[in-house]
Structures are given as C-alpha cells and as structure tokens.
Amino acid sequence: MPEAEFVVVANRLPVDRVPGAHGDDVWRRSPGGLVTALEPVMKKADGAWVGWAGGADLDLEPFEFDGTVLVPVRLSAEDIELYYEGMSNDTFWPLYHDVIAAPRYRRVWWDSYERVNRRFAEAAAEVAAPGATVWVQDYQLQLVPKMLRELRPDLTIGYFHHIPFPAYGLYSQLPWRKQVLEGLLGADVIGFQRVADAGNFARAVRRLFRYETRASGVNVPQPDGTTHTALAKAFPISIDAESYVELARRPEVQQRAADIRRELGNPRKILLGVDRLDYTKGIRHRLKAFGELLEDGEINVEDVTLVQVASPSRERVEAYMQLRDEIELTVGRTNGDFDTMGHTAIRYLHNSYPREEMAALFLAADVMLVTALRDGMNLVAKEYVAARTDNRGVLVLSEFAGAADELTSAVRINPHDIDGMKESIMRAIDMPAAEQGKRMRALRKKVRENDVAKWSESFLSALADARTMRNARSAKR
Ligand code: G6P
C-alpha cells in the first residue's frame, strides 16, 4: 500500500459506481463541494481518501482515481443497518438537529458504531506516511480522531463537523456523551460550521470533563502526564462558487432556464425548493405556508408555481419513509385543490439532477426557499446565489441554517412562524428589481469571496499551526 502525506477519512468515497458503456460498472466523481475543494490538495500532496464505496459487502482493493488513492472500507449489510442507518442517521442525526425527530438510543447500534469507526481509523493509520496530516469528516466518524491518535501519535489530525452541534441540554441525552467528546478531542483541530456550534461543544466539554478551555483551545490531560491541546473553532464551509458562475453563463443553461419557465406555463413567479428529502429541511412548513397563500387567495396557480426538488435520501430509515408519505400527501392534496388543466400549484420532483439542470433551475427561479428547521450550513442557498450572475432573484433563508450567519442580505425567516413565513414569501414575490439587485450583489460578494478553496485553506493552515506548536512542545521535552 502506498504511503500518503495527506489523508481524508469520510464515510463516503468521493466516487459513485455507475453502469459503464460496456455493461460493467465504472467510477464517476461524486458531485459535491468537499470533493472539489480537496481535489487540488489531494493531487499536490500524494493524497489518499479512506471511505465506504456504498453498497454492502464489497471487497475492493485500494485503487487510483484521478491522481488520488482511494481506500475502500468494507461495510457489511449489518454494519449498514446498525452503524449507518441506526447510530449515524437515527441517533446522531436527529439528536444533533435539535431532536426534530426523536433520536433512538440503542446499544447494539453504538457497538457497531465503535467497531466501524475503528475500521476506518485502522485503514487511515495504514495508509498515512510518517508525520502525515489526516482530515476526518463528519458525525459518522466522531471516534476516529482519538483512535487514530492512539494508533499513530506521529500524525496531525483534523476533524470537521458538517452538521450542527446541539446545546448541552440536548446533547446530554446521549448515553455515550463522554466517549464521543473524547473521540473528537483526539484531533488537533475540530472545525464547526457556526460559532454557536463551537460554543456548544466547548460547553459540553467543560460540563462533562472540567477541562480548561482558553480562547478556542481545550487542554486535554494525557495518561502520560502531558497535555494535548485541541482547537475547537468555526470554519464555515462553502461551495466552488466560480463553477456555478461558469455554468450560469453557458448559453445552453440559459436556454434551459427559459424552457423550464415555458414548460411550467410561463407563470409570473417561480418559487423553488431544493433539498434532500429530510425532516430537517422544513419542507412541510414550506408547503403549509404556500398552501395557505393559495387558500387565502393571495396568489393563484396561473401566477405563481412552486417547484420542489426532493432528492431521495436514507430511504430505509423509518422517519424518512414517514416524511415522504406526509409530503406526498400534502403535495397531492394541494395540487388536487388548486391545479387547473394548464397550471400546477406544486411541481414535485422526487429525484436528483446534474449540476447543469440545477443551475438552469436556479436561473429560472424568482424566489429560492430555504426553510430548514436546523441545518449545519445549507449549500443550496450558496449555490443559488452563485448562479445568479444577473443579480436577480430573492433568497428566503431560515435563521436556523448555518448559512444565515454569512448571508445576512437574504430575507430572513423563522420557519416555525407560518404567518411570518407567508409574509416573507409575499415580500419576496413582490420585491422590486432594484431591491433584489442590491441584496443579491451583497450576497454574491460574500459567496464568491468565501469559497470552498478558502475554507479548506483556512482549516488546513490552522492544522499546520497546530502541528508546528506540537512539534515545538515535544522538542522541549
Ligand atoms: C449531509 C451530511 C453528509 C452526508 C450527506 C448525505 O450533508 O453532513 O455527511 O454525506 O448529508 O447523506 P448520506 O447519508 O447519503 O451520506
């Protein structure tokens, strides 16, 4: 196995298996910001990426893809059920998103989570060169930093938490609350989306361990009497903004946007929602507000259409099945009540689409609705803004999405306040072009300045500083 100076460890590999031209399967790069952001770093640094290839019981050897070594971690059908669907997505996901759905605490899930985290840590330990940098990603792998530090004390370890970190009153429900914090504290740098997430984490550490925290550093006493300092700080993630600018400027994308408007019957205004079909996204609240506006006669289907793209997600987890039923019932009822032969109230698409189609949809949409009840960041909000090279369109943004910290020129909403949301949607629909332009220009400046390359650079430079400090300390000893 080759040795890598830079290793990313994530639940998923950055590739998807898709049917090839000759009846066999081929690998295709997954869409998504993280993959794009890390590509240059991976290439420059002889990088390796440790992750699950998707699918059960796949025995795959490490292979090279686009200049990066991919190291597949095998998950059995049982691992998928207990570690991925269970502990990751039926315990941590709802708990960390403010218990919008009830988290379930099952000991067999936890045992599997520990086992699978160890497998990821061992795979990373095996592929990392002496003194390498390892960057662990997200809530599926919270125990990996500590496991890795024990296996390989020579490594510099970063961890980035893509989802929220909840207030202590909720976090403390977790039967394994101490083990998880210990797992994370194995890292040199622990990155969060919002300042509030980093604050919640630091408070949990103080409450459960009474460790000293100074500025953003947590001092963790080690068994050998030394102290390990973990930096816990916000590094808000972003997108490859220029790639959306480039897409939006393509004539064929602009043509497609015009076609979409025509296919929808040329309504005066198109509203758009784009989400993974997840209960954190506030899709039901959005549909409720929209349905009431139709009912009140504030809008009608000739005039205003809502396009809701809901991409399939975690379809074997009960809460997701239930949500899908609820949403599809609401869409069916609303359309049944308000559709005419030529116009629909809600065009609902349970599917995911390539980036070109998404860019066209962004260009076609007069109003983008991001109504998350809780969201680590919400990159769709940033994608919409990046694509609006014409400085038109209105972003309606929930204050419970991480993006609200930066995108302060959006129309801000509380999705629990249905009346407030209805007013904001009407305000967005009726917003004069001059105000749209002023807000959109301010939003675009933020998104283009703080793109995903900047995000990875600032995290990795904090990690490099941590390494320098650690080396200086061990040289003194
Ligand atoms: C969120 C998480 C990611 C996860 C993605 C898709 O964005 O933060 O870690 O990969 O959802 O979910 P999935 O369960 O399909 O990987």
Side-chain angles (χ1 to χ4, degrees):
M1 175 116 56
E3 290 200 326
E5 293 295 337
F6 180 64
V7 182
V8 169
V9 192
N11 180 50
R12 288 185 186 274
L13 282 177
V15 290
D16 299 313
R17 233 173 135 104
V18 292
H22 311 290
D24 49 348
D25 280 351
V26 294
W27 296 106
R28 193 185 53 198
R29 209 174 82 158
S30 335
L34 185 63
V35 182
T36 328
L38 296 181
E39 198 190 9
V41 197
M42 300 294 279
K43 283 196 171 146
K44 208 164 64 193
D46 283 332
W49 189 306
V50 176
W52 172 43
D57 299 301
L58 289 177
D59 270 318
L60 299 167
E61 288 303 313
F63 61 99
E64 205 179 306
F65 182 88
D66 229 2
T68 302
V69 178
L70 303 187
V71 184
V73 174
R74 181 182 196 269
L75 294 189
S76 67
E78 193 189 64
D79 296 331
I80 295 174
E81 188 189 329
L82 307 179
Y83 148 79
Y84 170 71
E85 291 163 353
M87 194 68 207
S88 297
N89 291 320
D90 218 359
T91 306
F92 284 122
W93 183 269
L95 176 66
Y96 285 16
H97 288 87
D98 288 357
V99 304
I100 295 166
R104 296 166 65 199
Y105 303 111
R106 297 199 51 199
R107 284 163 288 183
V108 282
W109 291 356
W110 171 255
D111 293 343
S112 167
Y113 186 82
E114 270 191 310
R115 262 196 317 274
V116 173
N117 270 241
R118 186 161 305 282
R119 201 175 305 153
F120 276 84
E122 281 166 357
E126 203 176 319
V127 75
T133 295
V134 181
W135 194 0
V136 183
Q137 309 289 332
D138 227 356
Y139 65 101
Q140 302 93 343
L141 301 175
Q142 294 170 97
L143 306 180
V144 170
K146 176 170 185 237
M147 291 173 171
L148 202 49
R149 180 165 301 284
E150 283 167 1
L151 290 166
R152 291 285 304 272
D154 59 304
L155 300 176
T156 302
I157 304 169
Y159 170 90
F160 188 75
H161 196 72
H162 293 249
I163 69 173
F165 196 91
Y168 185 71
L170 295 174
Y171 180 74
S172 56
Q173 287 184 8
L174 184 68
W176 310 280
R177 57 196 188 185
K178 280 196 157 179
Q179 291 95 311
V180 169
L181 293 185
E182 277 168 347
L184 293 170
L185 286 168
D188 294 289
V189 178
I190 310 164
F192 294 94
Q193 300 281 28
R194 307 180 91 158
V195 173
D197 297 317
N200 286 342
F201 173 78
R203 272 187 294 279
V205 168
R206 282 197 296 269
R207 290 288 289 270
L208 289 170
F209 294 108
R210 316 226 164 265
Y211 291 158
E212 185 192 16
T213 54
R214 202 177 296 158
S216 304
V218 182
N219 293 329
V220 187
Q222 300 296 291
D224 64 1
T226 59
T227 303
H228 159 68
T229 302
L231 182 77
K233 233 185 98 178
F235 296 87
I237 200 170
S238 193
I239 58 163
D240 179 14
E242 287 322 297
S243 75
Y244 281 88
V245 171
E246 188 269 320
L247 277 174
R249 290 199 172 130
R250 285 191 201 167
E252 67 272 21
V253 170
Q254 292 176 8
Q255 182 56 50
R256 176 68 190 137
D259 291 347
I260 290 173
R261 290 201 80 97
R262 195 173 30 77
E263 285 166 19
L264 289 168
N266 276 321
R268 189 171 63 87
K269 295 282 173 172
I270 296 173
L271 315 186
L272 176 64
V274 176
D275 311 86
R276 261 185 324 99
L277 187 34
D278 195 296
Y279 49 79
T280 58
K281 304 292 183 182
I283 304 173
R284 282 183 299 139
H285 297 63
R286 184 185 314 164
L287 296 180
K288 174 105 184 128
F290 184 70
E292 285 192 15
L293 287 173
L294 285 165
E295 216 171 279
D296 301 345
E298 293 255 15
I299 54 174
N300 63 66
V301 293
E302 278 81 33
D303 224 28
V304 181
T305 290
L306 168 62
V307 177
Q308 176 63 55
V309 176
S311 46
S313 186
R314 305 175 190 164
E315 290 186 284
R316 296 192 337 172
V317 179
E318 180 63 34
Y320 289 76
M321 297 183 206
Q322 226 178 56
L323 175 77
R324 182 172 174 196
D325 285 346
E326 284 169 22
I327 286 176
E328 294 183 354
L329 182 73
T330 307
V331 170
R333 278 202 180 144
T334 311
N335 285 345
D337 285 343
F338 297 103
D339 278 10
T340 62
M341 286 299 171
H343 292 92
T344 189
I346 305 165
R347 177 58 52 86
Y348 168 74
L349 305 153
H350 184 239
N351 215 333
S352 42
Y353 295 93
R355 284 156 46 86
E356 291 76 10
E357 180 72 359
M358 293 316 301
L361 257 176
F362 291 147
L363 283 182
D366 302 286
V367 178
M368 179 80 213
L369 299 174
V370 176
T371 61
L373 305 175
R374 185 52 83 193
D375 206 335
M377 176 54 64
N378 197 290
L379 293 178
V380 170
K382 293 188 172 181
E383 288 169 2
Y384 177 69
V385 166
R388 295 313 305 233
T389 50
D390 57 352
N391 292 316
R392 285 287 172 279
V394 184
L395 174 65
V396 174
L397 179 60
S398 165
E399 61 191 72
F400 298 100
D405 283 358
E406 293 162 272
L407 303 184
T408 47
S409 299
V411 173
R412 206 179 160 88
I413 54 141
N414 168 6
H416 298 283
D417 172 11
I418 300 293
D419 283 339
M421 185 149 56
K422 285 163 69 181
E423 270 171 39
S424 299
I425 292 174
M426 288 314 297
R427 188 162 155 226
I429 288 175
D430 296 330
M431 188 178 287
E435 188 183 345
Q436 289 183 32
K438 196 165 152 232
R439 286 173 181 267
M440 191 51 82
R441 268 188 285 274
L443 293 170
R444 291 180 55 72
K445 188 158 181 279
K446 285 259 171 70
V447 172
R448 292 183 78 177
E449 280 175 6
N450 299 314
D451 68 353
V452 74
K454 206 148 174 202
W455 169 76
S456 63
E457 274 160 29
S458 69
F459 186 93
L460 292 173
S461 104
L463 205 49
D465 291 349
R467 167 206 288 254
T468 311
M469 262 158 56
R470 202 149 50 84
N471 288 347
R473 266 203 307 271
S474 54
K476 259 199 247 157
R477 277 204 293 274

